[in-house]
Amino acid sequence: MPKITFVDSSGEARTVDGEVGATVMEAAIRNAIPEIAAECGGGCACATCHVYVDEAWVSLTGKASDQEEDMLDFAYKVQPNSRLCCQIKIAAELDGLIVTTPDRQG
Ligand code: FES
């Protein structure tokens, strides 16, 4: 299973197993990762699953869709590497993915 590392805003890292075909948000919720609220359950409608994708992984995770970009307007402290992690599908090549969570959502 691809490993995904979540680094929280204090710098603490948690590495979890991600299921291919699931989303990074689902891996976060399953593993009780702090700082991910995911209030809409993955519908790209809440912007409370905001993460920063580690620069080394930005090309592999791809770009946000137009709908995701619109929702990111509601996220806190958006950066060029910001994504809503319910919109990142876990694939085998994402093994080792590192994302950082902002100190608050919304
Ligand atoms: S869980 Fe709501 S936008 Fe990702």
Side-chain angles (χ1 to χ4, degrees), residues 13-97:
R14 295 169 179 84
T15 300
V16 304
D17 286 323
E19 203 177 307
V20 171
T23 67
V24 173
M25 178 279 279
E26 288 167 330
I29 295 302
R30 240 180 245 137
N31 291 280
I33 296 296
E35 300 180 340
I36 300 278
E39 285 165 7
C40 78
C44 198
C46 72
T48 63
C49 64
H50 177 205
V51 297
Y52 304 115
V53 175
D54 184 275
E55 293 297 342
W57 292 92
V58 165
S59 61
L60 277 173
T61 51
K63 279 190 179 285
S65 66
D66 289 347
Q67 185 188 359
E68 183 181 344
E69 285 288 355
D70 287 348
M71 283 314 300
L72 274 167
D73 289 344
F74 297 97
Y76 174 68
K77 285 190 185 165
V78 173
Q79 300 176 3
N81 60 338
S82 288
R83 291 293 307 274
L84 298 177
C85 67
C86 69
Q87 301 302 303
I88 304 174
K89 271 249 160 63
I90 299 170
E93 64 262 29
L94 291 185
D95 185 26
L97 174 67

